[in-house]
Structures are given as structure tokens and as C-alpha cells.
Amino acid sequence: MNALKDVSQVLARLFLALIFIVSGYGKIGGYAGTQAYMEAMGVPGMLLPLVIALELLGGIAIVLGWQTRIVAFLLAGFSLVSGLLFHFNPDDQIQMIMLMKNIAIAGGFLLLVAHGAGRYSLDQRSA
């Protein structure tokens, strides 16, 4: 049972982080469009470098299991805030589903905050 737990923790970190790594990388290639979209939604475009850094570096940190509790807490908050800013629209079912996706991702990150990265992580090696 411990082997299943150890492998599932690694896979959970990978699955949670993947969307952020891909999204952060995509924002670099579509920088101007992403910045314009943020500004159209009332979010200052000058925050985009911070968003990219959090998504890319935070995602990589989660995969590696480095500073997992701190990074997971930050990404949980980011998921909730970005979900509310960009997807809260009760008149649009698709946007509300996207908001619920963000809430579910935040829940996954909060489990990492509570339980840590697990056995196969840099956090465990330094403990």
C-alpha cells in the first residue's frame, strides 16, 4: 500500500503542475495577447511576468516536490483568484465549469499543503 501511496503522490503533483507549466510557457509565446486579455478583464498587464513566473517555476517546484507546501498554497490562491476574475459568470455555463475546475485544482493543492509532497520529493530528501 505504501508503494501505491508514493507513486500516487508523484503522479498527483505531476498532474496538478502540468496545466501551470504548459499555461506559463504558452503565455510567453502569446505575451501580447495574454496581456491584452488580462487588461480587458481589469487585471493590470504588468502582472503578467509574475503570473508566468508563478506558473512555470511554481509548476516545476511542485513536480520536483521542492518547497511544496508554500508553492501549493500560492498556487491554490492563484487558482481561486484567477478563477473568480476570469471565469465567474453565472450566465455562462462553460465559464462556471471553468471556475469549478479552478476550485478543484485549488483543493488538490490544499491537500499538498496539508500532507506535503510525499516520499519521492526534494522536500523529503532535505528532511
Side-chain angles (χ1 to χ4, degrees):
M1 191 61 162
N2 283 338
L4 180 61
K5 177 182 174 185
D6 294 339
V7 170
S8 67
Q9 287 173 319
V10 172
L11 289 175
R13 291 195 331 260
L14 177 64
F15 293 167
L16 279 168
L18 187 60
I19 192 171
F20 291 93
I21 295 169
V22 171
S23 182
Y25 183 74
K27 284 176 175 68
I28 294 170
Y31 194 94
T34 303
Q35 188 175 36
Y37 177 67
M38 288 173 63
E39 289 171 351
M41 299 299 288
V43 178
M46 67 183 198
L47 294 177
L48 184 54
L50 294 174
V51 169
I52 292 169
L54 179 60
E55 288 184 338
L56 277 177
L57 299 177
I60 292 167
I62 292 295
V63 170
L64 297 175
W66 181 77
Q67 299 294 317
T68 304
R69 285 185 161 100
I70 294 167
V71 176
F73 182 78
L74 293 172
L75 286 170
F78 176 80
S79 295
L80 291 173
V81 170
S82 62
L84 290 169
L85 288 173
F86 295 102
H87 300 302
F88 182 77
N89 182 352
D91 296 329
D92 185 339
Q93 184 180 10
I94 298 297
Q95 289 304 314
M96 293 307 288
I97 290 170
M98 298 293 281
L99 173 61
M100 296 305 289
K101 170 209 49 122
N102 280 46
I103 292 169
I105 291 169
F109 280 125
L110 290 176
L111 282 171
L112 286 178
V113 171
H115 298 284
R119 183 177 192 177
Y120 299 122
S121 66
L122 292 179
D123 289 345
Q124 187 66 31
R125 288 181 164 262
S126 64

